[in-house]
Amino acid sequence: MTEWTRLPDLASRAVGGGVVWANDELFAERENLIKPAEPVYQTYTFGHKGQVYDGWETRRRREAGVDQAVVRLGMPGVVRGIVVDTAFFKGNYPPFCWVEGAQVDGYPSADEITEWFPLVERTALKGDEKHFFDVTEGRRVTHVRLTIDPDGGVARLRVHGEPLADPRLLVGGIDLAALENGAVVTGCSNMFYSSPNNLIAPGQATVMGEGWETARRRDDGNDWVSLRLAAPGVVQLVELDTSHFKGNAPGWASVRGCDERKDPDAWFDLLARTRLQPDTRHRFVVAATEATAVRLDIYPDGGMARLRILGTPTSDGLTHLREVWAKTTN
């Protein structure tokens, strides 16, 4: 065991990591790579594709090549060590692997990431064993790519390091859209699978059912949710979190604001229509603008785990909150 294993796992699903792509996952799902729990195994547990493994496993190659998976880190940062765990893969582990990193802005798809740098050189692996690799690369990493040569199964990929936040996203204030702060859902186009209140619930969603999901649209419209903010405030950052929504995330979204104190019908763009990625926590800095209400539009339909509207309450907004507090606590 090395000292860097005490550092957080930047790739873990528990902190918002996601496996955004793999070229093959016939025998076992790629998402298993970043599960927080240790892998487990049950004998004679067969599905339609064979023994069920708690890991990522590709089919047997019958031609030259390698298999790969791309992981978006939940917390980008400087990587100090990587663990490749082949637990319970005994006759079907990869003979070799290597790991690369990338530092990219925004929310690209896996095939849009074109520049990769080495984190772990090509190394031989053993079956049913944890492999610990020191990493000396000092650049900030947002994505890692695991390559196995030529095929096989890996139970877990741990990426230990020091989180390094993008300072552009470090805005002050509170979540003006938080349910616990007093925000209220005022309208919703569709709540077939789950309540829009889930969007503004505390904490991160841990499964898809803890978000808001609409029925599939068969027309030319789109779905939406409107909110009254907890207090009038200056909006500075919008967070759209599609975590756990993989095949049913919206393709695009927009967020509009309104200052009902001036004109309840005068809506303006906080975030223009923007492409979204599945299973991703998107954070966008927006022009500081006062608002009392917001409307999220998703195109055309789908699900979203969380909506956060970060900003600073205005002076009259704070006064209003204090007045309500005084009335209800005396």
Side-chain angles (χ1 to χ4, degrees), residues 286-319:
V286 300
T289 310
E290 285 193 21
T292 62
V294 297
R295 170 171 160 147
L296 165 68
D297 281 85
I298 60 173
Y299 303 92
D301 55 28
M304 188 166 294
R306 293 290 186 268
L307 167 68
R308 305 297 188 202
I309 305 293
L310 302 182
T312 306
T314 61
S315 58
D316 59 329
L318 284 173
T319 298

Side-chain angles (χ1 to χ4, degrees), residues 242-278:
T242 60
S243 290
H244 308 293
F245 290 96
K246 296 164 186 173
N248 52 353
W252 303 265
S254 64
V255 179
R256 287 182 287 168
C258 174
D259 191 339
E260 297 168 314
R261 299 166 302 179
K262 299 176 181 178
D263 185 345
D265 299 317
W267 291 87
F268 49 83
D269 282 343
L270 288 170
L271 178 69
R273 180 166 167 158
T274 301
R275 184 186 68 165
L276 299 181
Q277 295 291 348

Side-chain angles (χ1 to χ4, degrees), residues 309-330:
I309 305 293
L310 302 182
T312 306
T314 61
S315 58
D316 59 329
L318 284 173
T319 298
H320 170 74
L321 289 176
R322 292 182 181 121
E323 289 175 348
V324 172
W325 170 266
K327 290 178 181 178
T328 57
T329 56
N330 292 332

